[in-house]
Amino acid sequence: MSNSNKVLVTGGAGYIGSHTVVSLVQAGFTPIILDNFSNSDPAVIDNVMEILQQKITCIDGDCRSAELTESIFKDHNISGVIHFAASKAVGESVEKPLLYYGNNLLSLVTVMETMKKFGVTDLVFSSSCTVYGQPDKLPVTEETERKPAASPYGNTKKICEDIISDVVQSETGFRAISLRYFNPIGAHPSGSIGELPIGVPNNLVPFVSQTAAGIRESITVFGDDYNTPDGTCIRDYIHVMDLADAHVRSLLFLTEQPDENYYNMFNLGTGKGNSVMEVLKCFEEVNAIPVNYQIGPRRSGDIEQIYANVYKAENILGWKATRTMPEALADTWKWQQSLKKFS
Ligand code: NAD
Ligand code: UD1
């Protein structure tokens, strides 16, 4: 990494990107956002600036455009990249695989080509625990076998990891980290930024908070006949601000690497699994609000349970999750209540 503190954040207006931008600034970095707003709202940038009380550079455009990414590297002395930009809806990826392969693979390749051209070495990539599928043994470590992907979306994450690994081995100087997120939840504690699902949410926590807010009548719990203590699926839910901090830590860690070529991947979770019913009950309790729910059939493609072994991130990166699920669900509710600003 050069001595500039400018970091290109692709997809920086999105859910995880916007929170990471806040953490980056607070750690002394200058983020330059590139986002085409295909799954986010420009008002997010205003709210990020309000939290930080300073201006943030945001370029409205597509990171598949080599011309545009090159112009950004030319105009700003970029020293590292955090690459969030991708399409992320699993169901949609099954219906529109070309959209997913096209966006997720070409975005990464274009960004890495540009990095190479400008001699920028350090990359942090958004991967997912989806690369493990339903693991045979829990908790999953980074050595756990990656299963064949259950969706084109999941496959793009596996292929992107492989692209990065191949590039780091063959090109001089690249240093990269893939962060395998478990289930990000929560919002910035100010309630000014959070997850902004477009249309009906697919994910559990946005659906729960919209139900509590009366936007949805009730939430369907997808199956209570799994082989888990209460019969509902288990996931490792992690506060988005903990994830944000992990990105800052990863960038700093890359700059500390003595080796020219470095690649590693880390699980980002809490190490603890919680069931769907536990999330629902925790949300009701911490926010003192009832959430209507009914039990429905299993959702096709869902795995029964997954949670992370987080030892590697703690041991090598020196990062671990510090925020609790009640904190995350209280922050989600605060964000949900401030959402009127966006409608
Ligand atoms: P998000 O959709 O909120 O953010 C992605 C952002 O990228 C959006 O603002 C979108 O407009 C932008 N974008 C998409 N394609 C672009 C392109 N070609 N050029 C420029 N901008 C583009 O998603 P998120 O939840 O913040 O996820 C960020 C990353 O983390 C994604 O790569 C996602 O696959 C990965 N991830 C997310 C989760 C999760 O549960 N949210 C879990 C695992 C991995
Ligand atoms: C899903 C994706 C995963 C992606 C992640 C983040 C699948 C199979 N996996 O993970 O690849 O990285 O989203 O976008 O789609 N649930 C309900 N009712 C609801 C919604 C969810 O009971 O209305 C349950 C689900 O069955 C699951 C849990 O809540 O057990 C979490 O679901 P969700 O938030 O969608 O995340 P994942 O399925 O873990």
Short mmCIF file of all heavy atoms in Angstrom, two decimals, residues 161-200:
data_model
loop_
_atom_site.label_atom_id
_atom_site.label_comp_id
_atom_site.label_asym_id
_atom_site.label_seq_id
_atom_site.Cartn_x
_atom_site.Cartn_y
_atom_site.Cartn_z
N GLU A 161 -13.32 -15.90 -5.10
CA GLU A 161 -12.22 -16.31 -4.20
C GLU A 161 -11.10 -16.96 -5.01
O GLU A 161 -9.92 -16.71 -4.77
CB GLU A 161 -12.72 -17.29 -3.14
CG GLU A 161 -13.55 -16.66 -2.03
CD GLU A 161 -13.73 -17.62 -0.84
OE1 GLU A 161 -13.27 -18.78 -0.91
OE2 GLU A 161 -14.33 -17.19 0.18
N ASP A 162 -11.49 -17.82 -5.96
CA ASP A 162 -10.48 -18.53 -6.77
C ASP A 162 -9.71 -17.55 -7.67
O ASP A 162 -8.50 -17.70 -7.86
CB ASP A 162 -11.14 -19.62 -7.62
CG ASP A 162 -11.70 -20.75 -6.75
OD1 ASP A 162 -11.28 -20.85 -5.58
OD2 ASP A 162 -12.56 -21.51 -7.24
N ILE A 163 -10.43 -16.59 -8.23
CA ILE A 163 -9.76 -15.58 -9.08
C ILE A 163 -8.69 -14.87 -8.25
O ILE A 163 -7.53 -14.74 -8.66
CB ILE A 163 -10.79 -14.55 -9.64
CG1 ILE A 163 -11.73 -15.22 -10.65
CG2 ILE A 163 -10.07 -13.35 -10.27
CD1 ILE A 163 -12.88 -14.32 -11.12
N ILE A 164 -9.08 -14.45 -7.06
CA ILE A 164 -8.14 -13.69 -6.21
C ILE A 164 -6.93 -14.57 -5.87
O ILE A 164 -5.78 -14.14 -5.99
CB ILE A 164 -8.85 -13.19 -4.92
CG1 ILE A 164 -9.94 -12.18 -5.29
CG2 ILE A 164 -7.84 -12.57 -3.96
CD1 ILE A 164 -10.88 -11.83 -4.16
N SER A 165 -7.20 -15.81 -5.49
CA SER A 165 -6.10 -16.71 -5.13
C SER A 165 -5.14 -16.91 -6.31
O SER A 165 -3.91 -16.84 -6.15
CB SER A 165 -6.72 -18.04 -4.67
OG SER A 165 -5.76 -19.01 -4.57
N ASP A 166 -5.69 -17.11 -7.51
CA ASP A 166 -4.85 -17.30 -8.70
C ASP A 166 -4.03 -16.04 -8.99
O ASP A 166 -2.85 -16.12 -9.32
CB ASP A 166 -5.72 -17.62 -9.93
CG ASP A 166 -6.29 -19.03 -9.86
OD1 ASP A 166 -5.83 -19.82 -9.03
OD2 ASP A 166 -7.22 -19.33 -10.64
N VAL A 167 -4.68 -14.88 -8.89
CA VAL A 167 -3.98 -13.63 -9.22
C VAL A 167 -2.84 -13.39 -8.22
O VAL A 167 -1.72 -13.04 -8.61
CB VAL A 167 -4.96 -12.43 -9.25
CG1 VAL A 167 -4.20 -11.11 -9.41
CG2 VAL A 167 -5.98 -12.59 -10.37
N VAL A 168 -3.12 -13.63 -6.95
CA VAL A 168 -2.08 -13.40 -5.94
C VAL A 168 -0.87 -14.32 -6.20
O VAL A 168 0.27 -13.91 -6.03
CB VAL A 168 -2.64 -13.60 -4.50
CG1 VAL A 168 -1.52 -13.61 -3.48
CG2 VAL A 168 -3.64 -12.52 -4.17
N GLN A 169 -1.14 -15.54 -6.65
CA GLN A 169 -0.03 -16.46 -6.91
C GLN A 169 0.77 -16.09 -8.14
O GLN A 169 1.96 -16.38 -8.22
CB GLN A 169 -0.57 -17.87 -7.10
CG GLN A 169 -0.86 -18.56 -5.76
CD GLN A 169 -1.53 -19.89 -5.97
OE1 GLN A 169 -1.06 -20.70 -6.74
NE2 GLN A 169 -2.64 -20.09 -5.28
N SER A 170 0.12 -15.45 -9.12
CA SER A 170 0.82 -15.26 -10.39
C SER A 170 1.33 -13.83 -10.61
O SER A 170 2.26 -13.63 -11.37
CB SER A 170 -0.09 -15.64 -11.55
OG SER A 170 -1.17 -14.74 -11.58
N GLU A 171 0.73 -12.88 -9.95
CA GLU A 171 1.15 -11.49 -10.17
C GLU A 171 1.99 -11.04 -8.98
O GLU A 171 1.66 -11.34 -7.84
CB GLU A 171 -0.08 -10.56 -10.25
CG GLU A 171 -1.09 -10.95 -11.30
CD GLU A 171 -0.68 -10.52 -12.69
OE1 GLU A 171 0.33 -9.81 -12.81
OE2 GLU A 171 -1.37 -10.91 -13.64
N THR A 172 3.00 -10.27 -9.26
CA THR A 172 3.83 -9.82 -8.16
C THR A 172 3.11 -8.73 -7.37
O THR A 172 2.50 -7.85 -7.95
CB THR A 172 5.14 -9.21 -8.70
OG1 THR A 172 5.51 -9.95 -9.83
CG2 THR A 172 6.23 -9.21 -7.67
N GLY A 173 3.17 -8.86 -6.08
CA GLY A 173 2.79 -7.74 -5.24
C GLY A 173 1.39 -7.79 -4.67
O GLY A 173 1.14 -7.15 -3.66
N PHE A 174 0.46 -8.52 -5.28
CA PHE A 174 -0.91 -8.49 -4.76
C PHE A 174 -1.00 -9.06 -3.35
O PHE A 174 -0.38 -10.08 -3.04
CB PHE A 174 -1.86 -9.30 -5.66
CG PHE A 174 -2.61 -8.45 -6.65
CD1 PHE A 174 -2.29 -8.45 -7.99
CD2 PHE A 174 -3.65 -7.64 -6.21
CE1 PHE A 174 -2.97 -7.66 -8.90
CE2 PHE A 174 -4.36 -6.85 -7.10
CZ PHE A 174 -4.02 -6.86 -8.46
N ARG A 175 -1.78 -8.38 -2.53
CA ARG A 175 -2.02 -8.90 -1.17
C ARG A 175 -3.53 -8.80 -0.95
O ARG A 175 -4.11 -7.72 -1.14
CB ARG A 175 -1.28 -8.05 -0.14
CG ARG A 175 0.23 -8.04 -0.39
CD ARG A 175 0.99 -7.30 0.66
NE ARG A 175 0.73 -5.87 0.66
CZ ARG A 175 1.49 -4.99 1.29
NH1 ARG A 175 2.54 -5.40 1.97
NH2 ARG A 175 1.20 -3.70 1.26
N ALA A 176 -4.14 -9.91 -0.60
CA ALA A 176 -5.60 -9.88 -0.54
C ALA A 176 -6.14 -10.73 0.60
O ALA A 176 -5.52 -11.69 1.05
CB ALA A 176 -6.16 -10.40 -1.86
N ILE A 177 -7.33 -10.31 1.04
CA ILE A 177 -8.05 -11.05 2.08
C ILE A 177 -9.50 -11.22 1.62
O ILE A 177 -10.13 -10.25 1.17
CB ILE A 177 -8.00 -10.28 3.43
CG1 ILE A 177 -6.62 -10.43 4.06
CG2 ILE A 177 -9.10 -10.75 4.38
CD1 ILE A 177 -6.44 -9.67 5.37
N SER A 178 -10.02 -12.44 1.72
CA SER A 178 -11.45 -12.66 1.52
C SER A 178 -12.08 -12.81 2.89
O SER A 178 -11.62 -13.63 3.70
CB SER A 178 -11.71 -13.94 0.71
OG SER A 178 -11.31 -13.75 -0.63
N LEU A 179 -13.13 -12.04 3.12
CA LEU A 179 -13.83 -12.12 4.40
C LEU A 179 -15.14 -12.87 4.18
O LEU A 179 -15.97 -12.44 3.37
CB LEU A 179 -14.09 -10.71 4.95
CG LEU A 179 -12.82 -9.90 5.27
CD1 LEU A 179 -13.16 -8.47 5.68
CD2 LEU A 179 -11.99 -10.59 6.36
N ARG A 180 -15.27 -14.00 4.86
CA ARG A 180 -16.49 -14.81 4.70
C ARG A 180 -17.49 -14.43 5.78
O ARG A 180 -17.37 -14.87 6.94
CB ARG A 180 -16.12 -16.30 4.79
CG ARG A 180 -15.26 -16.75 3.62
CD ARG A 180 -14.80 -18.19 3.78
NE ARG A 180 -14.07 -18.62 2.58
CZ ARG A 180 -13.32 -19.72 2.53
NH1 ARG A 180 -13.20 -20.50 3.59
NH2 ARG A 180 -12.70 -20.04 1.42
N TYR A 181 -18.44 -13.56 5.39
CA TYR A 181 -19.42 -13.08 6.37
C TYR A 181 -20.40 -14.19 6.69
O TYR A 181 -20.88 -14.87 5.79
CB TYR A 181 -20.25 -11.92 5.84
CG TYR A 181 -19.52 -10.80 5.15
CD1 TYR A 181 -20.17 -10.05 4.17
CD2 TYR A 181 -18.21 -10.46 5.48
CE1 TYR A 181 -19.53 -9.01 3.52
CE2 TYR A 181 -17.57 -9.41 4.84
CZ TYR A 181 -18.23 -8.70 3.86
OH TYR A 181 -17.61 -7.66 3.20
N PHE A 182 -20.77 -14.30 7.95
CA PHE A 182 -21.91 -15.13 8.32
C PHE A 182 -23.17 -14.24 8.15
O PHE A 182 -23.31 -13.64 7.09
CB PHE A 182 -21.67 -15.79 9.69
CG PHE A 182 -20.74 -16.98 9.49
CD1 PHE A 182 -19.43 -16.80 9.05
CD2 PHE A 182 -21.20 -18.28 9.62
CE1 PHE A 182 -18.60 -17.89 8.75
CE2 PHE A 182 -20.37 -19.37 9.34
CZ PHE A 182 -19.09 -19.17 8.91
N ASN A 183 -24.07 -14.12 9.09
CA ASN A 183 -25.30 -13.35 8.80
C ASN A 183 -25.24 -11.95 9.40
O ASN A 183 -25.46 -11.79 10.61
CB ASN A 183 -26.52 -14.11 9.32
CG ASN A 183 -26.83 -15.32 8.47
OD1 ASN A 183 -25.96 -16.18 8.27
ND2 ASN A 183 -28.03 -15.41 7.96
N PRO A 184 -24.97 -10.93 8.56
CA PRO A 184 -24.88 -9.57 9.08
C PRO A 184 -26.26 -9.04 9.47
O PRO A 184 -27.22 -9.18 8.71
CB PRO A 184 -24.35 -8.76 7.90
CG PRO A 184 -23.98 -9.73 6.83
CD PRO A 184 -24.71 -10.99 7.11
N ILE A 185 -26.35 -8.45 10.64
CA ILE A 185 -27.60 -7.81 11.09
C ILE A 185 -27.25 -6.51 11.79
O ILE A 185 -26.08 -6.20 12.02
CB ILE A 185 -28.41 -8.72 12.06
CG1 ILE A 185 -27.58 -9.06 13.31
CG2 ILE A 185 -28.91 -9.97 11.36
CD1 ILE A 185 -28.41 -9.67 14.44
N GLY A 186 -28.29 -5.75 12.18
CA GLY A 186 -28.07 -4.54 12.96
C GLY A 186 -27.88 -3.32 12.08
O GLY A 186 -28.05 -3.37 10.85
N ALA A 187 -27.52 -2.23 12.71
CA ALA A 187 -27.42 -0.94 12.05
C ALA A 187 -26.46 -0.08 12.84
O ALA A 187 -26.08 -0.44 13.96
CB ALA A 187 -28.79 -0.28 11.98
N HIS A 188 -26.12 1.08 12.28
CA HIS A 188 -25.29 2.02 13.05
C HIS A 188 -26.08 2.46 14.28
O HIS A 188 -27.29 2.71 14.18
CB HIS A 188 -24.93 3.23 12.17
CG HIS A 188 -23.92 4.13 12.81
ND1 HIS A 188 -24.28 5.23 13.56
CD2 HIS A 188 -22.57 4.07 12.85
CE1 HIS A 188 -23.18 5.82 14.01
NE2 HIS A 188 -22.13 5.14 13.59
N PRO A 189 -25.44 2.57 15.44
CA PRO A 189 -26.20 2.90 16.66
C PRO A 189 -26.93 4.24 16.60
O PRO A 189 -27.88 4.46 17.37
CB PRO A 189 -25.14 2.90 17.77
CG PRO A 189 -23.82 2.80 17.09
CD PRO A 189 -24.03 2.25 15.72
N SER A 190 -26.55 5.13 15.69
CA SER A 190 -27.27 6.40 15.55
C SER A 190 -28.66 6.17 14.95
O SER A 190 -29.53 7.04 15.04
CB SER A 190 -26.50 7.33 14.59
OG SER A 190 -26.45 6.73 13.30
N GLY A 191 -28.86 5.01 14.30
CA GLY A 191 -30.12 4.77 13.59
C GLY A 191 -30.20 5.50 12.26
O GLY A 191 -31.24 5.49 11.60
N SER A 192 -29.10 6.11 11.82
CA SER A 192 -29.14 6.88 10.57
C SER A 192 -28.85 6.06 9.32
O SER A 192 -29.21 6.46 8.22
CB SER A 192 -28.12 8.03 10.62
OG SER A 192 -28.44 8.89 11.65
N ILE A 193 -28.13 4.96 9.49
CA ILE A 193 -27.93 4.05 8.35
C ILE A 193 -28.19 2.62 8.81
O ILE A 193 -28.05 2.31 10.00
CB ILE A 193 -26.52 4.15 7.69
CG1 ILE A 193 -25.40 3.97 8.74
CG2 ILE A 193 -26.35 5.45 6.94
CD1 ILE A 193 -24.00 3.84 8.13
N GLY A 194 -28.58 1.78 7.86
CA GLY A 194 -28.90 0.39 8.18
C GLY A 194 -29.16 -0.36 6.89
O GLY A 194 -28.80 0.11 5.81
N GLU A 195 -29.81 -1.49 7.01
CA GLU A 195 -30.11 -2.27 5.80
C GLU A 195 -31.38 -1.73 5.16
O GLU A 195 -32.39 -1.57 5.83
CB GLU A 195 -30.29 -3.75 6.18
CG GLU A 195 -30.34 -4.66 4.99
CD GLU A 195 -30.25 -6.15 5.36
OE1 GLU A 195 -30.28 -6.46 6.57
OE2 GLU A 195 -30.17 -6.96 4.43
N LEU A 196 -31.30 -1.46 3.86
CA LEU A 196 -32.43 -0.84 3.16
C LEU A 196 -32.93 -1.80 2.09
O LEU A 196 -32.58 -1.68 0.92
CB LEU A 196 -31.93 0.47 2.51
CG LEU A 196 -32.94 1.44 1.92
CD1 LEU A 196 -33.86 1.99 2.96
CD2 LEU A 196 -32.18 2.57 1.22
N PRO A 197 -33.75 -2.77 2.49
CA PRO A 197 -34.17 -3.74 1.47
C PRO A 197 -35.13 -3.10 0.49
O PRO A 197 -36.01 -2.33 0.88
CB PRO A 197 -34.86 -4.85 2.27
CG PRO A 197 -35.03 -4.34 3.64
CD PRO A 197 -34.38 -3.01 3.78
N ILE A 198 -34.91 -3.40 -0.80
CA ILE A 198 -35.79 -2.85 -1.83
C ILE A 198 -36.89 -3.90 -2.06
O ILE A 198 -36.60 -5.05 -2.36
CB ILE A 198 -34.99 -2.51 -3.10
CG1 ILE A 198 -34.05 -1.34 -2.76
CG2 ILE A 198 -35.91 -2.17 -4.27
CD1 ILE A 198 -33.09 -0.93 -3.86
N GLY A 199 -38.14 -3.52 -1.84
CA GLY A 199 -39.26 -4.47 -1.98
C GLY A 199 -39.40 -5.34 -0.74
O GLY A 199 -38.96 -4.96 0.35
N VAL A 200 -39.97 -6.52 -0.92
CA VAL A 200 -40.20 -7.42 0.23
C VAL A 200 -38.86 -8.04 0.62
O VAL A 200 -38.16 -8.60 -0.22
CB VAL A 200 -41.19 -8.54 -0.16
CG1 VAL A 200 -41.45 -9.45 1.03
CG2 VAL A 200 -42.48 -7.96 -0.70
#
